[in-house]
Amino acid sequence: MTATAHVDRFVLDNLPPRETWPDLVFETPELQFPERLNATVALLDRAVEEGHGDRPAIIGRDVRWTYRDLAGRVDRLARHLTESLGLVPGNRVLLRGANTPWFAVAWLAVWKAGGVAVGTMPLLRAKELKQILVLARAGLALCDRALAEELELARRDCPDLKCIEYFGDAAFEAKMAATAEGFAAVDTAADDPALIAFTSGTTGVPKGCIHVHRDVMAMCEVFPRHCLKPGPDDIFIGTPPLAFTFGLGGLLCFPLWARAATILLEKLSPDLLIAAIETHGATICVTSPTAYRQMTALVPGHDLRSLKKCVSAGEALPVATRAAWAQATGIQIHDGIGGTELIHIYIASDPETYRPGALGKVLPGYHAMLVDEDMNPVPPGVEGKLAIKGPTGCRYLADERQKNYVRNGWNVTGDAYHTDADGYFYYHARVDDIIVTSGYNVSSPEVESVLLEHPAVAECGVIGVPDPERGQILKAFVVLKPGWSGDPSLVRALQDHVKSTAAPYKYPRAVEFVSALPRTETGKLQRFRLKG
Ligand code: 3UK
């Protein structure tokens, strides 16, 4: 192992004990990384050296930066961070902003300067920011001026936070313009920490997942290389926040890795996203299943001829959503499952070989198996929990829960699936979202998927509610499409639809019509909030 470049050893010293790490395996040629690796050098500086300097890199509301423009800004900010703000390698920098060009610069500059980026979702409140600041012991924050308020509130209780640098206004632009050009990248080791990604967990203290420079490059060498296959002429667009590793990969690292362009726009609702695809001629869209559902109805009003590929992740992609999108656009979605602990996608579907109802196959570089409670493999067709290992894996920052996630060297994600004889993985649910009713196991996403096939249903969520006779019964919360009214005859029609499409015990005995469903910023349905 080569020497760390980290002068501040906080993250290195708070890695989990070695014996609780997952096995890391680097089997394919593209996963053979050098010992010294800086993600920004590999993704950006190398692109300029290779002659891509004049190609478009980042397109924002009112900017269009080439690779050279972007590299220049990254260098200035990296210089400012180290020379004016005193950043030393290993320091944590809290990052807070919507998806904007300067927010992207912040990530890349922190990496280039050897810092550890701690991304935070734009909607987080002071209380949550404070938790993260304390856990990551961040001394510095780069924050979009528009999101100052909650961070200023959090700051009062965080004496370690010495400095907040605000970007996104004229004062900052002036500061950058006055900073000298060029910056020599910190010569980080491939396994020097580059980011701490906090999980969008629903309960308890957030868990910080440590990822090193090599992990950033490994995520590019798996899903994009083997499945999405972007090229320099592609233009990415989408919604996941850069603070969510789904967005960090899909909207920043993958485009740079491919020497392609990325469109970073704030607050993209489905109607704005579909309009932006058309205006900018985007070729690859990265978003959630809900957004595809909501955009489907809007397709007829738009010219989407530029669009070639679509990525969906974050929660299950129902068969009906995939089919309706394909019908409207001719595009079969790349469904991918990933996680904050693994950094990005490890099982995905390829439009050419997808099977209806299947999530997809394990991607080259990862090994996956389905296991029972005792970590014994289960045969095809039988429900089991996913155990996965590959070039990336779970390393929580000083957290006892490390040993719940890693067992015998495998990452155990908490999701149940079955496989078929050809190695396709069929997603069932998070283990916690499996409902036991009258002794039968039913998965929420499966029933939701069936309900979504009914023409009246726009969105739905299924949970188990206590029942004296059956243990639990299924209850569906349904958002109707315009023009439908939630009366008792529709309740019966929805129940009959489930009974006739799936095993009858899977039908929801209770149905409630609602105007919206609670979702996280990462696009996940919050079923626990439906439980009230
Ligand atoms: C669920 C899915 C079915 C699943 C993520 C792509 O979602 C990401 O990370 P998180 O840590 O959550 C992980 C969990 O979310 N899930 C994600 N994708 C799918 N379920 N089908 C899918 N396609 O329970 C998983 O364990 O928030 C996704 C890339 C990076 C990510 N961080």
Side-chain angles (χ1 to χ4, degrees), residues 55-66 70 99-102 104 234-237 251 256 260-266 268 276 279-282:
R55 296 189 68 92
I58 291 191
I59 297 155
R61 202 174 38 201
D62 24 53
V63 303
R64 200 183 164 80
W65 293 339
T66 63
L70 176 62
N99 287 356
T100 64
W102 272 108
D234 275 310
I235 304 173
F236 286 68
I237 194 167
L251 294 176
L256 295 181
T262 186
I263 301 167
L264 293 178
L265 298 171
E266 304 161 58
L268 277 179
T279 324
H280 295 276

PDB file of all heavy atoms in Angstrom, residues 55-66 70 99-102 104 234-237 251 256 260-266 268 276 279-282:
ATOM      1  N   ARG A  55     -14.491  20.667 -26.015  1.00  0.00           N
ATOM      2  CA  ARG A  55     -15.824  20.042 -26.058  1.00  0.00           C
ATOM      3  C   ARG A  55     -16.663  20.553 -24.886  1.00  0.00           C
ATOM      4  O   ARG A  55     -16.140  20.883 -23.833  1.00  0.00           O
ATOM      5  CB  ARG A  55     -15.693  18.520 -25.931  1.00  0.00           C
ATOM      6  CG  ARG A  55     -14.956  17.871 -27.070  1.00  0.00           C
ATOM      7  CD  ARG A  55     -15.090  16.361 -26.940  1.00  0.00           C
ATOM      8  NE  ARG A  55     -16.475  15.956 -27.172  1.00  0.00           N
ATOM      9  CZ  ARG A  55     -16.941  15.608 -28.368  1.00  0.00           C
ATOM     10  NH1 ARG A  55     -16.150  15.587 -29.410  1.00  0.00           N
ATOM     11  NH2 ARG A  55     -18.205  15.256 -28.519  1.00  0.00           N
ATOM     12  N   PRO A  56     -17.988  20.561 -25.048  1.00  0.00           N
ATOM     13  CA  PRO A  56     -18.835  21.018 -23.940  1.00  0.00           C
ATOM     14  C   PRO A  56     -18.798  20.031 -22.769  1.00  0.00           C
ATOM     15  O   PRO A  56     -18.854  18.820 -22.983  1.00  0.00           O
ATOM     16  CB  PRO A  56     -20.240  21.065 -24.555  1.00  0.00           C
ATOM     17  CG  PRO A  56     -20.181  20.179 -25.757  1.00  0.00           C
ATOM     18  CD  PRO A  56     -18.765  20.200 -26.248  1.00  0.00           C
ATOM     19  N   ALA A  57     -18.670  20.558 -21.560  1.00  0.00           N
ATOM     20  CA  ALA A  57     -18.643  19.702 -20.363  1.00  0.00           C
ATOM     21  C   ALA A  57     -19.896  19.934 -19.525  1.00  0.00           C
ATOM     22  O   ALA A  57     -20.624  18.999 -19.213  1.00  0.00           O
ATOM     23  CB  ALA A  57     -17.392  19.996 -19.538  1.00  0.00           C
ATOM     24  N   ILE A  58     -20.139  21.190 -19.169  1.00  0.00           N
ATOM     25  CA  ILE A  58     -21.279  21.480 -18.287  1.00  0.00           C
ATOM     26  C   ILE A  58     -22.147  22.586 -18.881  1.00  0.00           C
ATOM     27  O   ILE A  58     -21.654  23.643 -19.280  1.00  0.00           O
ATOM     28  CB  ILE A  58     -20.794  21.879 -16.878  1.00  0.00           C
ATOM     29  CG1 ILE A  58     -20.168  20.657 -16.195  1.00  0.00           C
ATOM     30  CG2 ILE A  58     -21.942  22.435 -16.036  1.00  0.00           C
ATOM     31  CD1 ILE A  58     -19.890  20.813 -14.726  1.00  0.00           C
ATOM     32  N   ILE A  59     -23.427  22.294 -18.928  1.00  0.00           N
ATOM     33  CA  ILE A  59     -24.391  23.277 -19.414  1.00  0.00           C
ATOM     34  C   ILE A  59     -25.326  23.596 -18.250  1.00  0.00           C
ATOM     35  O   ILE A  59     -25.895  22.686 -17.643  1.00  0.00           O
ATOM     36  CB  ILE A  59     -25.177  22.690 -20.617  1.00  0.00           C
ATOM     37  CG1 ILE A  59     -24.201  22.403 -21.770  1.00  0.00           C
ATOM     38  CG2 ILE A  59     -26.297  23.640 -21.056  1.00  0.00           C
ATOM     39  CD1 ILE A  59     -24.654  21.340 -22.716  1.00  0.00           C
ATOM     40  N   GLY A  60     -25.429  24.880 -17.917  1.00  0.00           N
ATOM     41  CA  GLY A  60     -26.311  25.282 -16.819  1.00  0.00           C
ATOM     42  C   GLY A  60     -27.327  26.282 -17.322  1.00  0.00           C
ATOM     43  O   GLY A  60     -27.445  26.503 -18.527  1.00  0.00           O
ATOM     44  N   ARG A  61     -28.033  26.912 -16.381  1.00  0.00           N
ATOM     45  CA  ARG A  61     -29.108  27.830 -16.780  1.00  0.00           C
ATOM     46  C   ARG A  61     -28.574  28.907 -17.720  1.00  0.00           C
ATOM     47  O   ARG A  61     -29.130  29.172 -18.746  1.00  0.00           O
ATOM     48  CB  ARG A  61     -29.748  28.440 -15.540  1.00  0.00           C
ATOM     49  CG  ARG A  61     -31.148  28.957 -15.795  1.00  0.00           C
ATOM     50  CD  ARG A  61     -31.776  29.414 -14.519  1.00  0.00           C
ATOM     51  NE  ARG A  61     -30.788  30.078 -13.676  1.00  0.00           N
ATOM     52  CZ  ARG A  61     -30.908  30.240 -12.374  1.00  0.00           C
ATOM     53  NH1 ARG A  61     -31.953  29.791 -11.757  1.00  0.00           N
ATOM     54  NH2 ARG A  61     -29.979  30.858 -11.674  1.00  0.00           N
ATOM     55  N   ASP A  62     -27.474  29.549 -17.305  1.00  0.00           N
ATOM     56  CA  ASP A  62     -26.948  30.545 -18.235  1.00  0.00           C
ATOM     57  C   ASP A  62     -25.457  30.386 -18.515  1.00  0.00           C
ATOM     58  O   ASP A  62     -24.774  31.348 -18.797  1.00  0.00           O
ATOM     59  CB  ASP A  62     -27.275  31.979 -17.786  1.00  0.00           C
ATOM     60  CG  ASP A  62     -27.517  32.058 -16.307  1.00  0.00           C
ATOM     61  OD1 ASP A  62     -26.646  31.592 -15.531  1.00  0.00           O
ATOM     62  OD2 ASP A  62     -28.584  32.537 -15.913  1.00  0.00           O
ATOM     63  N   VAL A  63     -24.971  29.142 -18.395  1.00  0.00           N
ATOM     64  CA  VAL A  63     -23.573  28.923 -18.746  1.00  0.00           C
ATOM     65  C   VAL A  63     -23.428  27.695 -19.629  1.00  0.00           C
ATOM     66  O   VAL A  63     -24.273  26.809 -19.622  1.00  0.00           O
ATOM     67  CB  VAL A  63     -22.649  28.721 -17.506  1.00  0.00           C
ATOM     68  CG1 VAL A  63     -22.738  29.895 -16.573  1.00  0.00           C
ATOM     69  CG2 VAL A  63     -22.956  27.433 -16.786  1.00  0.00           C
ATOM     70  N   ARG A  64     -22.343  27.720 -20.373  1.00  0.00           N
ATOM     71  CA  ARG A  64     -21.995  26.586 -21.219  1.00  0.00           C
ATOM     72  C   ARG A  64     -20.483  26.490 -21.160  1.00  0.00           C
ATOM     73  O   ARG A  64     -19.787  27.275 -21.797  1.00  0.00           O
ATOM     74  CB  ARG A  64     -22.475  26.915 -22.644  1.00  0.00           C
ATOM     75  CG  ARG A  64     -22.622  25.728 -23.507  1.00  0.00           C
ATOM     76  CD  ARG A  64     -23.027  26.145 -24.919  1.00  0.00           C
ATOM     77  NE  ARG A  64     -22.777  25.016 -25.779  1.00  0.00           N
ATOM     78  CZ  ARG A  64     -23.603  23.975 -25.891  1.00  0.00           C
ATOM     79  NH1 ARG A  64     -24.751  23.980 -25.252  1.00  0.00           N
ATOM     80  NH2 ARG A  64     -23.288  22.955 -26.653  1.00  0.00           N
ATOM     81  N   TRP A  65     -19.960  25.593 -20.322  1.00  0.00           N
ATOM     82  CA  TRP A  65     -18.523  25.496 -20.118  1.00  0.00           C
ATOM     83  C   TRP A  65     -17.940  24.321 -20.887  1.00  0.00           C
ATOM     84  O   TRP A  65     -18.478  23.220 -20.860  1.00  0.00           O
ATOM     85  CB  TRP A  65     -18.196  25.273 -18.629  1.00  0.00           C
ATOM     86  CG  TRP A  65     -18.514  26.431 -17.730  1.00  0.00           C
ATOM     87  CD1 TRP A  65     -18.673  27.740 -18.075  1.00  0.00           C
ATOM     88  CD2 TRP A  65     -18.696  26.354 -16.305  1.00  0.00           C
ATOM     89  NE1 TRP A  65     -18.944  28.491 -16.946  1.00  0.00           N
ATOM     90  CE2 TRP A  65     -18.958  27.675 -15.856  1.00  0.00           C
ATOM     91  CE3 TRP A  65     -18.652  25.320 -15.378  1.00  0.00           C
ATOM     92  CZ2 TRP A  65     -19.188  27.969 -14.510  1.00  0.00           C
ATOM     93  CZ3 TRP A  65     -18.875  25.601 -14.038  1.00  0.00           C
ATOM     94  CH2 TRP A  65     -19.132  26.925 -13.615  1.00  0.00           C
ATOM     95  N   THR A  66     -16.795  24.560 -21.503  1.00  0.00           N
ATOM     96  CA  THR A  66     -16.060  23.460 -22.124  1.00  0.00           C
ATOM     97  C   THR A  66     -15.263  22.749 -21.020  1.00  0.00           C
ATOM     98  O   THR A  66     -15.186  23.215 -19.877  1.00  0.00           O
ATOM     99  CB  THR A  66     -15.058  23.995 -23.156  1.00  0.00           C
ATOM    100  OG1 THR A  66     -14.111  24.816 -22.445  1.00  0.00           O
ATOM    101  CG2 THR A  66     -15.743  24.818 -24.234  1.00  0.00           C
ATOM    102  N   LEU A  70     -14.133  24.391 -17.475  1.00  0.00           N
ATOM    103  CA  LEU A  70     -14.425  23.725 -16.204  1.00  0.00           C
ATOM    104  C   LEU A  70     -13.136  23.505 -15.415  1.00  0.00           C
ATOM    105  O   LEU A  70     -13.054  23.816 -14.220  1.00  0.00           O
ATOM    106  CB  LEU A  70     -15.133  22.388 -16.472  1.00  0.00           C
ATOM    107  CG  LEU A  70     -15.434  21.509 -15.253  1.00  0.00           C
ATOM    108  CD1 LEU A  70     -16.370  22.217 -14.278  1.00  0.00           C
ATOM    109  CD2 LEU A  70     -16.070  20.171 -15.684  1.00  0.00           C
ATOM    110  N   ASN A  99     -28.299  21.223  -7.924  1.00  0.00           N
ATOM    111  CA  ASN A  99     -27.431  20.826  -9.038  1.00  0.00           C
ATOM    112  C   ASN A  99     -27.175  22.034  -9.940  1.00  0.00           C
ATOM    113  O   ASN A  99     -28.017  22.382 -10.764  1.00  0.00           O
ATOM    114  CB  ASN A  99     -28.084  19.702  -9.854  1.00  0.00           C
ATOM    115  CG  ASN A  99     -28.066  18.379  -9.114  1.00  0.00           C
ATOM    116  OD1 ASN A  99     -27.505  18.271  -8.020  1.00  0.00           O
ATOM    117  ND2 ASN A  99     -28.668  17.371  -9.705  1.00  0.00           N
ATOM    118  N   THR A 100     -26.031  22.663  -9.762  1.00  0.00           N
ATOM    119  CA  THR A 100     -25.654  23.814 -10.598  1.00  0.00           C
ATOM    120  C   THR A 100     -24.205  23.610 -11.032  1.00  0.00           C
ATOM    121  O   THR A 100     -23.474  22.819 -10.440  1.00  0.00           O
ATOM    122  CB  THR A 100     -25.715  25.138  -9.801  1.00  0.00           C
ATOM    123  OG1 THR A 100     -24.737  25.073  -8.742  1.00  0.00           O
ATOM    124  CG2 THR A 100     -27.096  25.394  -9.216  1.00  0.00           C
ATOM    125  N   PRO A 101     -23.778  24.348 -12.065  1.00  0.00           N
ATOM    126  CA  PRO A 101     -22.390  24.203 -12.513  1.00  0.00           C
ATOM    127  C   PRO A 101     -21.383  24.464 -11.386  1.00  0.00           C
ATOM    128  O   PRO A 101     -20.414  23.700 -11.243  1.00  0.00           O
ATOM    129  CB  PRO A 101     -22.286  25.243 -13.625  1.00  0.00           C
ATOM    130  CG  PRO A 101     -23.675  25.287 -14.204  1.00  0.00           C
ATOM    131  CD  PRO A 101     -24.583  25.162 -13.008  1.00  0.00           C
ATOM    132  N   TRP A 102     -21.588  25.486 -10.584  1.00  0.00           N
ATOM    133  CA  TRP A 102     -20.612  25.754  -9.533  1.00  0.00           C
ATOM    134  C   TRP A 102     -20.616  24.684  -8.440  1.00  0.00           C
ATOM    135  O   TRP A 102     -19.600  24.428  -7.797  1.00  0.00           O
ATOM    136  CB  TRP A 102     -20.808  27.154  -8.918  1.00  0.00           C
ATOM    137  CG  TRP A 102     -20.036  28.201  -9.676  1.00  0.00           C
ATOM    138  CD1 TRP A 102     -20.537  29.166 -10.485  1.00  0.00           C
ATOM    139  CD2 TRP A 102     -18.596  28.344  -9.713  1.00  0.00           C
ATOM    140  NE1 TRP A 102     -19.523  29.911 -11.037  1.00  0.00           N
ATOM    141  CE2 TRP A 102     -18.326  29.438 -10.578  1.00  0.00           C
ATOM    142  CE3 TRP A 102     -17.528  27.665  -9.129  1.00  0.00           C
ATOM    143  CZ2 TRP A 102     -17.018  29.866 -10.855  1.00  0.00           C
ATOM    144  CZ3 TRP A 102     -16.232  28.092  -9.405  1.00  0.00           C
ATOM    145  CH2 TRP A 102     -15.990  29.177 -10.257  1.00  0.00           C
ATOM    146  N   ALA A 104     -20.985  21.571  -9.056  1.00  0.00           N
ATOM    147  CA  ALA A 104     -20.131  20.532  -9.639  1.00  0.00           C
ATOM    148  C   ALA A 104     -18.659  20.902  -9.465  1.00  0.00           C
ATOM    149  O   ALA A 104     -17.818  20.055  -9.128  1.00  0.00           O
ATOM    150  CB  ALA A 104     -20.477  20.347 -11.115  1.00  0.00           C
ATOM    151  N   ASP A 234     -22.621  12.343 -26.209  1.00  0.00           N
ATOM    152  CA  ASP A 234     -23.835  12.292 -25.385  1.00  0.00           C
ATOM    153  C   ASP A 234     -24.004  13.546 -24.544  1.00  0.00           C
ATOM    154  O   ASP A 234     -23.033  14.226 -24.195  1.00  0.00           O
ATOM    155  CB  ASP A 234     -23.815  11.040 -24.491  1.00  0.00           C
ATOM    156  CG  ASP A 234     -24.352   9.828 -25.239  1.00  0.00           C
ATOM    157  OD1 ASP A 234     -25.437   9.965 -25.832  1.00  0.00           O
ATOM    158  OD2 ASP A 234     -23.681   8.780 -25.255  1.00  0.00           O
ATOM    159  N   ILE A 235     -25.267  13.837 -24.251  1.00  0.00           N
ATOM    160  CA  ILE A 235     -25.621  14.960 -23.382  1.00  0.00           C
ATOM    161  C   ILE A 235     -26.534  14.393 -22.296  1.00  0.00           C
ATOM    162  O   ILE A 235     -27.639  13.939 -22.580  1.00  0.00           O
ATOM    163  CB  ILE A 235     -26.355  16.066 -24.170  1.00  0.00           C
ATOM    164  CG1 ILE A 235     -25.495  16.533 -25.354  1.00  0.00           C
ATOM    165  CG2 ILE A 235     -26.714  17.230 -23.257  1.00  0.00           C
ATOM    166  CD1 ILE A 235     -26.214  17.496 -26.292  1.00  0.00           C
ATOM    167  N   PHE A 236     -26.022  14.388 -21.055  1.00  0.00           N
ATOM    168  CA  PHE A 236     -26.771  13.830 -19.926  1.00  0.00           C
ATOM    169  C   PHE A 236     -27.693  14.898 -19.338  1.00  0.00           C
ATOM    170  O   PHE A 236     -27.363  16.081 -19.333  1.00  0.00           O
ATOM    171  CB  PHE A 236     -25.823  13.376 -18.803  1.00  0.00           C
ATOM    172  CG  PHE A 236     -25.061  12.105 -19.068  1.00  0.00           C
ATOM    173  CD1 PHE A 236     -24.076  12.044 -20.056  1.00  0.00           C
ATOM    174  CD2 PHE A 236     -25.288  10.964 -18.297  1.00  0.00           C
ATOM    175  CE1 PHE A 236     -23.344  10.879 -20.270  1.00  0.00           C
ATOM    176  CE2 PHE A 236     -24.572   9.791 -18.502  1.00  0.00           C
ATOM    177  CZ  PHE A 236     -23.593   9.741 -19.484  1.00  0.00           C
ATOM    178  N   ILE A 237     -28.810  14.446 -18.821  1.00  0.00           N
ATOM    179  CA  ILE A 237     -29.696  15.344 -18.069  1.00  0.00           C
ATOM    180  C   ILE A 237     -30.420  14.505 -17.029  1.00  0.00           C
ATOM    181  O   ILE A 237     -30.548  13.291 -17.188  1.00  0.00           O
ATOM    182  CB  ILE A 237     -30.714  16.032 -19.020  1.00  0.00           C
ATOM    183  CG1 ILE A 237     -31.403  17.204 -18.315  1.00  0.00           C
ATOM    184  CG2 ILE A 237     -31.753  15.035 -19.548  1.00  0.00           C
ATOM    185  CD1 ILE A 237     -32.177  18.120 -19.255  1.00  0.00           C
ATOM    186  N   LEU A 251     -24.896  12.209 -13.151  1.00  0.00           N
ATOM    187  CA  LEU A 251     -24.943  13.559 -13.731  1.00  0.00           C
ATOM    188  C   LEU A 251     -23.606  14.295 -13.695  1.00  0.00           C
ATOM    189  O   LEU A 251     -23.493  15.379 -14.216  1.00  0.00           O
ATOM    190  CB  LEU A 251     -26.018  14.397 -13.025  1.00  0.00           C
ATOM    191  CG  LEU A 251     -27.449  13.898 -13.242  1.00  0.00           C
ATOM    192  CD1 LEU A 251     -28.436  14.732 -12.437  1.00  0.00           C
ATOM    193  CD2 LEU A 251     -27.828  13.910 -14.714  1.00  0.00           C
ATOM    194  N   LEU A 256     -18.317  12.994 -17.361  1.00  0.00           N
ATOM    195  CA  LEU A 256     -16.907  13.379 -17.515  1.00  0.00           C
ATOM    196  C   LEU A 256     -16.076  12.176 -17.947  1.00  0.00           C
ATOM    197  O   LEU A 256     -15.179  12.287 -18.782  1.00  0.00           O
ATOM    198  CB  LEU A 256     -16.358  13.966 -16.214  1.00  0.00           C
ATOM    199  CG  LEU A 256     -16.984  15.289 -15.732  1.00  0.00           C
ATOM    200  CD1 LEU A 256     -16.316  15.748 -14.439  1.00  0.00           C
ATOM    201  CD2 LEU A 256     -16.885  16.387 -16.783  1.00  0.00           C
ATOM    202  N   ALA A 260     -18.351  13.388 -22.212  1.00  0.00           N
ATOM    203  CA  ALA A 260     -19.637  13.866 -22.715  1.00  0.00           C
ATOM    204  C   ALA A 260     -19.995  15.175 -22.019  1.00  0.00           C
ATOM    205  O   ALA A 260     -19.191  15.730 -21.270  1.00  0.00           O
ATOM    206  CB  ALA A 260     -20.700  12.795 -22.454  1.00  0.00           C
ATOM    207  N   ALA A 261     -21.199  15.675 -22.276  1.00  0.00           N
ATOM    208  CA  ALA A 261     -21.665  16.912 -21.626  1.00  0.00           C
ATOM    209  C   ALA A 261     -22.773  16.573 -20.631  1.00  0.00           C
ATOM    210  O   ALA A 261     -23.470  15.566 -20.788  1.00  0.00           O
ATOM    211  CB  ALA A 261     -22.197  17.874 -22.674  1.00  0.00           C
ATOM    212  N   THR A 262     -22.927  17.424 -19.610  1.00  0.00           N
ATOM    213  CA  THR A 262     -24.012  17.230 -18.658  1.00  0.00           C
ATOM    214  C   THR A 262     -24.756  18.536 -18.452  1.00  0.00           C
ATOM    215  O   THR A 262     -24.150  19.604 -18.384  1.00  0.00           O
ATOM    216  CB  THR A 262     -23.491  16.647 -17.321  1.00  0.00           C
ATOM    217  OG1 THR A 262     -24.612  16.342 -16.489  1.00  0.00           O
ATOM    218  CG2 THR A 262     -22.555  17.603 -16.579  1.00  0.00           C
ATOM    219  N   ILE A 263     -26.075  18.419 -18.396  1.00  0.00           N
ATOM    220  CA  ILE A 263     -26.905  19.603 -18.180  1.00  0.00           C
ATOM    221  C   ILE A 263     -27.293  19.615 -16.700  1.00  0.00           C
ATOM    222  O   ILE A 263     -27.916  18.664 -16.221  1.00  0.00           O
ATOM    223  CB  ILE A 263     -28.174  19.536 -19.049  1.00  0.00           C
ATOM    224  CG1 ILE A 263     -27.778  19.444 -20.522  1.00  0.00           C
ATOM    225  CG2 ILE A 263     -29.070  20.733 -18.796  1.00  0.00           C
ATOM    226  CD1 ILE A 263     -28.925  19.055 -21.418  1.00  0.00           C
ATOM    227  N   LEU A 264     -26.879  20.662 -15.993  1.00  0.00           N
ATOM    228  CA  LEU A 264     -27.203  20.739 -14.562  1.00  0.00           C
ATOM    229  C   LEU A 264     -28.218  21.847 -14.356  1.00  0.00           C
ATOM    230  O   LEU A 264     -27.925  23.028 -14.568  1.00  0.00           O
ATOM    231  CB  LEU A 264     -25.934  20.998 -13.747  1.00  0.00           C
ATOM    232  CG  LEU A 264     -24.923  19.852 -13.756  1.00  0.00           C
ATOM    233  CD1 LEU A 264     -23.670  20.228 -12.968  1.00  0.00           C
ATOM    234  CD2 LEU A 264     -25.535  18.570 -13.181  1.00  0.00           C
ATOM    235  N   LEU A 265     -29.402  21.438 -13.997  1.00  0.00           N
ATOM    236  CA  LEU A 265     -30.471  22.412 -13.779  1.00  0.00           C
ATOM    237  C   LEU A 265     -31.077  22.184 -12.398  1.00  0.00           C
ATOM    238  O   LEU A 265     -31.258  21.042 -11.965  1.00  0.00           O
ATOM    239  CB  LEU A 265     -31.545  22.265 -14.853  1.00  0.00           C
ATOM    240  CG  LEU A 265     -31.067  22.528 -16.296  1.00  0.00           C
ATOM    241  CD1 LEU A 265     -32.138  22.145 -17.291  1.00  0.00           C
ATOM    242  CD2 LEU A 265     -30.676  23.988 -16.491  1.00  0.00           C
ATOM    243  N   GLU A 266     -31.401  23.309 -11.736  1.00  0.00           N
ATOM    244  CA  GLU A 266     -31.981  23.207 -10.396  1.00  0.00           C
ATOM    245  C   GLU A 266     -33.446  22.804 -10.484  1.00  0.00           C
ATOM    246  O   GLU A 266     -34.112  23.126 -11.449  1.00  0.00           O
ATOM    247  CB  GLU A 266     -31.916  24.570  -9.701  1.00  0.00           C
ATOM    248  CG  GLU A 266     -30.535  25.133  -9.618  1.00  0.00           C
ATOM    249  CD  GLU A 266     -30.564  26.630  -9.359  1.00  0.00           C
ATOM    250  OE1 GLU A 266     -31.135  27.038  -8.338  1.00  0.00           O
ATOM    251  OE2 GLU A 266     -30.025  27.368 -10.195  1.00  0.00           O
ATOM    252  N   LEU A 268     -35.631  20.314 -11.092  1.00  0.00           N
ATOM    253  CA  LEU A 268     -36.280  19.832 -12.292  1.00  0.00           C
ATOM    254  C   LEU A 268     -37.502  18.999 -11.944  1.00  0.00           C
ATOM    255  O   LEU A 268     -37.379  17.857 -11.542  1.00  0.00           O
ATOM    256  CB  LEU A 268     -35.304  18.977 -13.099  1.00  0.00           C
ATOM    257  CG  LEU A 268     -34.350  19.730 -14.015  1.00  0.00           C
ATOM    258  CD1 LEU A 268     -33.440  18.759 -14.734  1.00  0.00           C
ATOM    259  CD2 LEU A 268     -35.133  20.554 -15.022  1.00  0.00           C
ATOM    260  N   ALA A 276     -36.785  20.418 -20.844  1.00  0.00           N
ATOM    261  CA  ALA A 276     -35.336  20.641 -20.964  1.00  0.00           C
ATOM    262  C   ALA A 276     -34.679  19.596 -21.862  1.00  0.00           C
ATOM    263  O   ALA A 276     -33.714  19.895 -22.569  1.00  0.00           O
ATOM    264  CB  ALA A 276     -34.687  20.643 -19.585  1.00  0.00           C
ATOM    265  N   THR A 279     -35.356  21.091 -25.271  1.00  0.00           N
ATOM    266  CA  THR A 279     -34.612  22.329 -25.557  1.00  0.00           C
ATOM    267  C   THR A 279     -33.127  22.072 -25.767  1.00  0.00           C
ATOM    268  O   THR A 279     -32.495  22.667 -26.629  1.00  0.00           O
ATOM    269  CB  THR A 279     -34.725  23.316 -24.368  1.00  0.00           C
ATOM    270  OG1 THR A 279     -36.014  23.196 -23.821  1.00  0.00           O
ATOM    271  CG2 THR A 279     -34.434  24.732 -24.760  1.00  0.00           C
ATOM    272  N   HIS A 280     -32.543  21.215 -24.902  1.00  0.00           N
ATOM    273  CA  HIS A 280     -31.090  21.016 -24.955  1.00  0.00           C
ATOM    274  C   HIS A 280     -30.679  19.850 -25.847  1.00  0.00           C
ATOM    275  O   HIS A 280     -29.495  19.567 -25.985  1.00  0.00           O
ATOM    276  CB  HIS A 280     -30.547  20.783 -23.549  1.00  0.00           C
ATOM    277  CG  HIS A 280     -30.684  21.972 -22.642  1.00  0.00           C
ATOM    278  ND1 HIS A 280     -29.780  22.995 -22.621  1.00  0.00           N
ATOM    279  CD2 HIS A 280     -31.631  22.295 -21.740  1.00  0.00           C
ATOM    280  CE1 HIS A 280     -30.163  23.908 -21.730  1.00  0.00           C
ATOM    281  NE2 HIS A 280     -31.283  23.501 -21.181  1.00  0.00           N
ATOM    282  N   GLY A 281     -31.661  19.116 -26.357  1.00  0.00           N
ATOM    283  CA  GLY A 281     -31.320  17.957 -27.174  1.00  0.00           C
ATOM    284  C   GLY A 281     -30.590  16.887 -26.382  1.00  0.00           C
ATOM    285  O   GLY A 281     -29.642  16.256 -26.879  1.00  0.00           O
ATOM    286  N   ALA A 282     -31.013  16.669 -25.146  1.00  0.00           N
ATOM    287  CA  ALA A 282     -30.346  15.672 -24.300  1.00  0.00           C
ATOM    288  C   ALA A 282     -30.490  14.281 -24.891  1.00  0.00           C
ATOM    289  O   ALA A 282     -31.495  13.974 -25.536  1.00  0.00           O
ATOM    290  CB  ALA A 282     -30.934  15.702 -22.898  1.00  0.00           C
TER     291      ALA A 282
END
